[in-house]
């Protein structure tokens, strides 16, 4: 799975570098922009905040407090470590690739480079590692299904919000999601190989 995801990530990167993915990006943006209105814009602004550094950091801190209280501190530390490492990796990659933000109507303000989408990568990283622990949890099945569904849907909605608000191309969001999944699979394999839990 890591190999397949890595293949798709490098394909996206190649298409970006050769400027061969512009039509795809424009098509996805136009599809979302067709239904643009003030109400939807406010909703997506709220959703995109959930993927911001402040929101992700806050959730990690809450996870640390809860897991320390439950004497499951390893889980909290793993969540924080994975999200922090993946986010730093993303920022480093941005500086190397240096893809400009899309030249379209931007309904939010961003100053960094565009690829990969940090909001998407951070939200996939956080929700992905939380999903891993939820699926391992031997608790109420209904609660597991509800929690799992929310953890899958949230990063998707955050990614869509980044495109809708005009601060990322669809390929930025897709690249961020794929990169997060690659890193998570590596991290989870390390966790299980070393028998941390």
């Amino acid at each position: 799975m890591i190999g397949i995801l890595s293949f798709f990530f490098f394909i996206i990167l190649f298409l970006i570098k050769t400027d061969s993915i512009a039509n795809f990006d424009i098509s996805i943006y136009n599809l979302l922009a067709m239904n643009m209105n003030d109400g939807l814009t406010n909703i997506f602004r709220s959703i995109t905040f959930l993927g911001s550094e402040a929101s992700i950091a806050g959730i990690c801190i809450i996870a640390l407090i809860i897991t320390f209280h439950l004497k499951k501190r390893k889980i909290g530390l793993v969540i924080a470590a994975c999200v922090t490492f993946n986010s730093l990796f993303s920022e480093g990659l941005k500086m190397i690739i240096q893809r400009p933000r899309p030249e379209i109507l931007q309904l939010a303000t961003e100053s960094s480079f565009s690829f990969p989408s940090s909001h998407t990568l951070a939200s996939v990283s956080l929700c992905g590692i939380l999903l891993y622990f939820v699926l391992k949890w031997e608790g109420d099945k209904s609660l597991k299904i509800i929690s799992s569904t929310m953890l899958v849907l949230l990063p998707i909605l955050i990614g869509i919000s980044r495109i809708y608000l005009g601060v990322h191309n669809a390929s930025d969001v897709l690249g961020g999601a794929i990169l997060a999944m690659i890193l998570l699979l590596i991290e989870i394999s390390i966790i299980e190989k070393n028998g941390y839990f």
Side-chain angles (χ1 to χ4, degrees):
M1 181 61 76
I2 293 174
I4 294 171
L5 290 172
S6 298
F7 173 76
F8 281 115
F9 180 79
F10 284 110
I11 287 293
I12 292 171
L13 190 54
F14 172 77
L15 293 174
I16 288 171
K17 283 297 184 181
T18 56
D19 199 26
S20 304
I21 204 167
N23 289 337
F24 168 77
D25 287 331
I26 292 170
S27 296
I28 299 298
Y29 173 75
N30 287 339
L31 186 64
L32 293 174
M34 280 194 309
N35 301 305
M36 189 176 286
N37 59 67
D38 291 342
L40 197 57
T41 298
N42 289 333
I43 291 172
F44 276 128
R45 279 178 174 157
S46 299
I47 291 172
T48 209
F49 175 74
L50 296 175
S52 66
E53 289 182 5
S55 181
I56 295 293
I59 294 170
C60 285
I61 290 170
I62 291 170
L64 281 170
I65 292 171
I66 292 173
T67 53
F68 271 58
H69 177 71
L70 296 173
K71 297 182 179 179
K72 300 284 186 180
R73 61 183 64 189
K74 280 187 178 180
I75 293 177
L77 292 171
V78 164
I79 291 169
C82 288
V83 174
T84 301
F85 174 80
N86 294 358
S87 296
L88 290 174
F89 189 91
S90 171
E91 291 306 311
L93 199 57
K94 279 191 178 198
M95 296 303 295
I96 294 170
I97 297 171
Q98 297 189 1
R99 187 186 196 189
R101 295 277 172 174
E103 295 180 358
I104 50 180
L105 176 63
Q106 295 188 2
L107 302 175
T109 304
E110 296 289 351
S111 57
S112 62
F113 292 111
S114 192
F115 183 88
S117 166
S118 295
H119 277 64
T120 304
L121 184 139
S123 62
V124 171
S125 296
L126 176 60
C127 292
I129 196 66
L130 287 173
L131 180 61
Y132 168 72
F133 287 118
V134 166
L135 293 176
K136 286 180 71 69
W137 176 55
E138 297 179 356
D140 183 81
K141 288 185 178 180
S142 297
L143 186 57
K144 283 181 71 171
I145 292 171
I146 293 170
S147 301
S148 299
T149 302
M150 291 176 62
L151 290 170
V152 170
L153 287 178
L154 183 57
I156 293 173
L157 291 173
I158 289 173
I160 292 172
S161 76
R162 303 306 285 166
I163 303 168
Y164 176 94
L165 295 173
V167 291
H168 278 296
N169 295 295
S171 52
D172 298 328
V173 169
L174 190 57
I178 291 174
L179 180 59
M181 287 188 282
I182 292 169
L183 294 173
L184 278 173
L185 287 172
I186 294 170
E187 289 156 356
I188 288 170
S189 68
I190 293 172
I191 290 169
E192 295 193 337
K193 183 178 179 180
N194 289 277
Y196 289 147
F197 304 104

